[in-house]
Amino acid sequence: MRREEPVEALLAEALLRAVRTTSAYGGVLYLRSADGRSLVLSTVTGVPPHLLSAFRHIPVAAPLPVAEAYRTGRTVQVADADDTMRRYPRLAVGLPYVHAFACTPISVDGRSLGVLAVLWPSSAVPPPGAKRQLRATANRLAAALGGRVPAVPGSPVVVPLPTTGGPAPRAGGLDWRLADGRITADPALLAVLGLTPDDFGGRAEDLTERLEPTDVEPLLAALAADAPFTLRVRLRDGRHWLDLHGRPGRPGTVGLVAVDTDAATAAVAAVERLRDGVVALDPDGRISYLNHAAELLLELGREELTGHHPWSALPWLAEPAYEDRYRSAMLAQQPTAFLACRPPGHWLAFSLYPDAHGLTVRIVPAGPPGAHRTALPEAPPATPATLGATYYLLQLASALTEAVTVKEVCDCVIDQILPGFDGQEMALYLARSGRMHLVAQTGYPEGFLTPFEGTPIRARLPGTEVFSTGAPAFFESPDELLAAYPGISQDEMRSWAFLPLIASGLPVGSCILGFDRPRKFTSEDRSVLTALGGLIAQALERARLYDAEFALARGLQQALLPHRLPEVPGLAVAARYLPGTRGMEIGGDWYDAISTPAGVCLVIGDVEGHNVGAAATMGQLRSAVRAFVTGGSPPDEVLTRTNQLLLDLDPGLLASCCLLRLDPATGRVLAVRAGHVPPLLRLPGGDTEPLDLAGGPLLGIDSDAEYPGTALELPVGAILALFTDGLIERPGVPLDEGLDQLRTDLAHSPAAGLDALAEHLLRDARRSSHRADDVALLLARRTAG
């Protein structure tokens, strides 16, 4: 790298050259970060930097084209929206209107310093040789850098593009040493100033004396601020402006990129004579100019509007839909139009004409939606602005975070997508054993989809072909569908979208959307629908894995819980189990009743967690307790040995347990407790209180823990209620209050039999939509028999 060529100027010149030689509308340049883990946006042209904020830093390992070009050392080119969605769905979600682009690494001796990328309008076809031109520019820049990775600026440097129809601006660069005012300038900057290298003395005065005097002080203040800045100054010749983009460089040095532009022309006067409203937006969407007619139509003056976003300055344009139209026009570089109502009922038609320098907006009076209007020239017919399809994608993504099972995912997809895209039919298929199986549908005539059940994935049908190819298919009329698939069965729909469901790069199924009228699928529709397919696929795969785990765990849990309780003279026993955690329905709660020569042992326990591990641990503990009890161990020894077993198993889980040994003939009870909520005792007269039982810590904490027993008597007609804490937990309510509420319910329940009483006690738990735990309930009543 030659000393007289500052890095900023080299980057700016390379980016402008790449855009010009590839006929692109904009470009970006990324540099490798100091730690080598990410790529940082350094220089940008033709694209508002704030629209790229989500991609300011890109991890080197990210599934994005810039990162792929950096990692592989190859040029990456994407042709259209479908290609973007298939290969880089994350990019399509973050920048839904960027469809055609190419990026190539800036490499020296096989080592990548960064990435150079250009963007084309969504309707443009990249010119032949674009990739070659891009690589050539990147190689030239790499050679000029000499293998050095430039320091990443604090914020991206914005390089203006040449004005259409005018002379191309010339870019130059300089390094300004603040301590002594010495300047090192490249030849391009000297040409802008009208100097030769021999004429330039390298002093600050050589630059400032060529500026308008009023611009010198703001420039010096910006230099002293030690922060990135952008400043426009005017040359004394009165014919040129300099756009200066500066940032601190080496200690005590500021690097600048200078771009000269033409002064304003008399075209403004011609625009002022128009009766149509004309508004100019800069690339960031702020109003930089509006004519007198626009002031009248918007009913607001230039002072209140200039420098502001339209959707900020005009409350009736504050809906996100209007800002979305601006984003669409700037990133797709395609004209767009919409209707908006200025209160109390004045409809205006807005036509947006973009280029890389900003937007020109034409405003004319219009009738309400549906009224006959003449189409606006060079722009689509104006329609009421609605929330962009991207918002439906975000809504679905948010809703899917709460869906757990396959059924919940399918219900969520149907509820969100059909209203968002005004569809009438939807079918979701998943592939299994080489065939397509319907998992959800809505809107189809009864029996219409029956012939398609179990269709081989290699069959020539649109739903199977999108699965096999990974590319979506859109048919805007019945004729298009019949031309592609002669003889295919049709119902009353008039257009269709067939979407592949791809999760982690692998096809898992397909989604079919039907519309009852011919529909034009815009590039935005196609991008967002394809992105939705990816979201649906990921959610379905997650749900399928959950369903499989749930079936295993639920089966394990049901197998481990007692299938029936023993019949013991002098004792009636009833039990209930209510799964908690909506969607999960598995956990570690258990109960048991074990008949022994010494009496009946009533056991209830709770292993923390709601997964297969909790259910498996529960099964081990239940089996251990049953083995110890039937072996004749007293209750305190049973819990001591169970505690040691849990520590030996080391599942990383804790458990609570309450065990009572009851002699139905005498009513004597010996109870032990390990960190469990105390049982309730309801006496024959109705008085109900928690049992004051001695106890020890939770199982699985301390190998030396002791579990002392408590002796009591159970009168004839009395009821013992053993339960897990899920029965008394309430959101925002202390556990003591929940226990007192259960005590009251048990005391005053009109239920006569134990089964009816158990149902009564569970009723509140079933009604609690916030219940997050399982409930196990075991009731025992001493009878006269």
Side-chain angles (χ1 to χ4, degrees):
M1 180 175 66
R2 298 189 300 272
R3 173 175 292 180
E4 66 270 16
E5 294 179 306
V7 168
E8 292 82 1
L10 287 172
L11 301 181
E13 191 276 334
L15 193 57
L16 288 173
R17 177 186 295 273
V19 170
R20 184 176 66 253
T21 58
T22 60
S23 300
Y25 76 80
V28 293
L29 193 150
Y30 282 85
L31 294 176
R32 188 180 68 209
S33 63
D35 60 10
R37 296 179 179 177
S38 61
L39 299 167
V40 184
L41 183 62
S42 167
T43 314
V44 60
T45 187
V47 183
H50 74 277
L51 296 183
L52 303 173
S53 58
F55 300 96
R56 171 82 170 87
H57 295 265
I58 295 178
V60 168
L64 294 168
V66 169
E68 181 177 325
Y70 177 85
R71 293 193 306 268
T72 64
R74 298 193 300 268
T75 300
V76 175
Q77 182 170 344
V78 177
D80 53 33
D82 292 342
D83 197 17
T84 304
M85 286 310 313
R86 184 169 57 254
R87 298 166 59 188
Y88 306 106
R90 185 182 299 181
L91 178 66
V93 172
L95 289 175
Y97 308 110
V98 174
H99 302 316
F101 55 88
C103 46
T104 195
I106 305 166
S107 302
V108 175
D109 298 328
R111 186 169 63 97
S112 292
L113 312 178
V115 176
L116 184 63
V118 293
L119 305 95
W120 292 283
S122 58
S123 62
V125 176
K131 290 173 63 175
R132 178 175 51 80
Q133 293 287 359
L134 183 63
R135 284 196 298 268
T137 301
N139 291 339
R140 179 182 298 185
L141 173 60
L145 292 173
R148 292 177 50 193
V149 181
V152 178
S155 58
V157 174
V158 181
V159 181
L161 282 172
T163 304
T164 303
R170 294 171 292 174
L174 59 86
D175 283 334
W176 190 320
R177 202 164 60 191
L178 300 180
D180 56 11
R182 298 297 297 175
I183 293 177
T184 301
D186 66 9
L189 179 63
L190 298 182
V192 172
L193 298 174
L195 296 172
T196 66
D198 293 337
D199 296 332
F200 185 62
R203 299 173 299 117
E205 292 80 3
D206 292 322
L207 173 62
T208 57
E209 70 184 9
R210 283 165 172 75
L211 304 181
E212 287 286 350
T214 55
D215 289 339
V216 174
E217 185 174 345
L219 173 59
L220 296 178
L223 290 168
D226 194 34
F229 66 87
T230 297
L231 187 67
R232 171 168 284 195
V233 297
R234 192 170 188 178
L235 297 182
R236 282 179 181 265
D237 62 12
R239 296 183 295 105
H240 292 88
W241 296 85
L242 286 183
D243 287 325
L244 299 177
H245 307 275
R247 66 173 181 85
R250 298 180 299 277
T253 302
V254 175
L256 288 95
V257 175
V259 184
D260 73 317
T261 57
D262 289 338
T265 67
V268 172
V271 175
E272 287 293 334
R273 292 189 286 268
L274 294 176
R275 293 188 178 183
D276 293 347
V278 176
V279 178
L281 304 184
D282 66 18
D284 289 328
R286 293 182 173 85
I287 297 174
S288 57
Y289 167 80
L290 68 160
N291 66 354
H292 182 63
E295 291 183 280
L296 297 177
L297 289 168
L298 300 176
E299 292 190 334
L300 209 59
R302 301 181 190 190
E303 296 78 10
E304 293 87 359
L305 290 172
T306 303
H308 299 281
H309 296 112
W311 48 88
S312 299
L314 300 166
W316 47 277
L317 287 180
E319 294 293 334
Y322 300 111
E323 183 180 358
D324 187 66
R325 291 300 178 97
Y326 148 75
R327 293 174 182 270
S328 170
M330 283 302 298
L331 290 174
Q333 288 292 295
Q334 291 295 304
T336 187
F338 62 88
L339 292 176
C341 182
R342 189 196 74 215
H346 303 285
W347 286 91
L348 300 176
F350 291 75
S351 298
L352 281 59
Y353 302 93
D355 69 7
H357 304 279
L359 285 169
T360 297
V361 183
R362 178 182 174 224
I363 310 172
V364 296
H372 177 73
R373 293 182 300 274
T374 302
L376 301 173
E378 301 178 11
T383 58
T386 58
L387 286 176
T390 304
Y391 294 97
Y392 294 113
L393 187 151
L394 297 177
Q395 290 173 4
L396 177 63
S398 175
L400 286 176
T401 61
E402 301 179 7
V404 178
T405 67
V406 169
K407 183 180 184 304
E408 289 176 350
V409 169
C410 293
D411 291 344
C412 176
V413 170
I414 290 172
D415 291 343
Q416 293 290 329
I417 292 186
L418 286 183
F421 290 87
D422 195 24
Q424 285 68 46
E425 293 180 348
M426 172 177 281
L428 288 169
Y429 284 87
L430 290 178
R432 187 173 66 251
S433 302
R435 295 181 178 274
M436 304 295 284
H437 297 278
L438 182 70
V439 293
Q441 67 87 20
T442 186
Y444 283 91
E446 184 176 355
F448 179 80
L449 295 177
T450 302
F452 300 101
E453 178 61 23
T455 299
I457 60 175
R458 299 299 180 188
R460 192 177 184 281
L461 291 170
T464 55
E465 289 200 342
V466 298
F467 169 84
S468 301
T469 64
F474 300 93
F475 300 97
E476 299 180 346
S477 69
D479 291 341
E480 285 191 13
L481 180 62
L482 284 173
Y485 299 93
I488 190 172
S489 299
Q490 295 187 50
D491 54 8
E492 296 181 354
M493 295 297 104
R494 290 296 174 264
S495 53
W496 298 263
F498 294 85
L499 310 174
L501 302 182
I502 300 175
S504 303
L506 298 174
V508 298
S510 59
C511 173
I512 304 170
L513 287 172
F515 304 87
D516 62 1
R517 62 182 181 276
R519 177 189 180 98
K520 179 71 174 176
F521 292 100
T522 65
S523 60
E524 180 185 2
D525 288 339
R526 293 171 184 247
S527 295
V528 175
L529 283 170
T530 309
L532 289 172
L535 282 177
I536 295 167
Q538 293 287 353
L540 283 173
E541 277 299 276
R542 183 188 69 240
R544 284 211 292 188
L545 290 174
Y546 163 78
D547 283 350
E549 180 178 330
F550 163 71
L552 173 63
R554 190 67 169 150
L556 174 64
Q557 187 178 52
Q558 292 294 338
L560 293 175
L561 289 174
H563 296 285
R564 62 181 182 84
L565 298 174
E567 296 181 4
V568 180
L571 194 68
V573 185
R576 291 292 185 276
Y577 180 83
L578 181 64
T581 308
R582 184 189 64 84
M584 288 296 296
E585 300 192 32
I586 56 173
D589 289 19
W590 92 91
Y591 62 87
D592 206 351
I594 309 163
S595 182
T596 72
V600 176
C601 280
L602 305 175
V603 188
I604 197 159
D606 182 2
V607 178
E608 64 175 347
H610 297 86
N611 50 34
V612 175
T617 301
M618 174 270 286
Q620 291 173 308
L621 294 185
R622 176 176 175 264
S623 299
V625 168
R626 176 172 279 271
F628 296 149
V629 166
T630 56
S633 298
D636 57 341
E637 184 180 329
V638 170
L639 287 196
T640 300
R641 297 175 66 182
T642 304
N643 176 56
Q644 188 60 55
L645 172 66
L646 184 58
L647 288 167
D648 292 342
L649 292 173
D650 192 22
L653 300 173
L654 304 177
S656 67
C657 184
C658 184
L659 186 151
L660 292 84
R661 188 176 67 189
L662 166 66
D663 183 351
T666 63
R668 293 194 194 90
V669 177
L670 182 59
V672 292
R673 188 164 62 94
H676 201 83
V677 289
L680 291 175
L681 173 62
R682 174 180 166 176
L683 297 173
D687 292 341
T688 304
E689 292 297 335
L691 291 178
D692 184 13
L693 303 181
L698 291 168
L699 303 175
I701 291 180
D702 182 6
S703 60
D704 297 325
E706 296 182 355
Y707 299 93
T710 301
L712 56 115
E713 287 193 8
L714 185 69
V716 174
I719 298 175
L720 277 173
L722 289 76
F723 50 89
T724 54
D725 55 9
L727 190 61
I728 58 176
E729 286 182 337
R730 299 290 185 275
V733 177
L735 208 61
D736 289 345
E737 291 186 22
L739 180 61
D740 189 61
Q741 179 62 48
L742 178 63
R743 181 193 63 78
T744 302
D745 288 345
L746 179 60
H748 300 289
S749 172
L754 285 189
D755 288 323
L757 180 58
E759 290 297 330
H760 172 78
L761 295 179
L762 288 181
R763 192 169 298 132
D764 286 342
R766 285 196 179 98
R767 290 174 179 171
S768 175
S769 61
H770 296 91
R771 181 176 52 80
D773 208 351
D774 309 299
V775 174
L777 174 64
L778 185 62
L779 299 176
R781 170 185 276 147
R782 187 181 175 205
T783 65

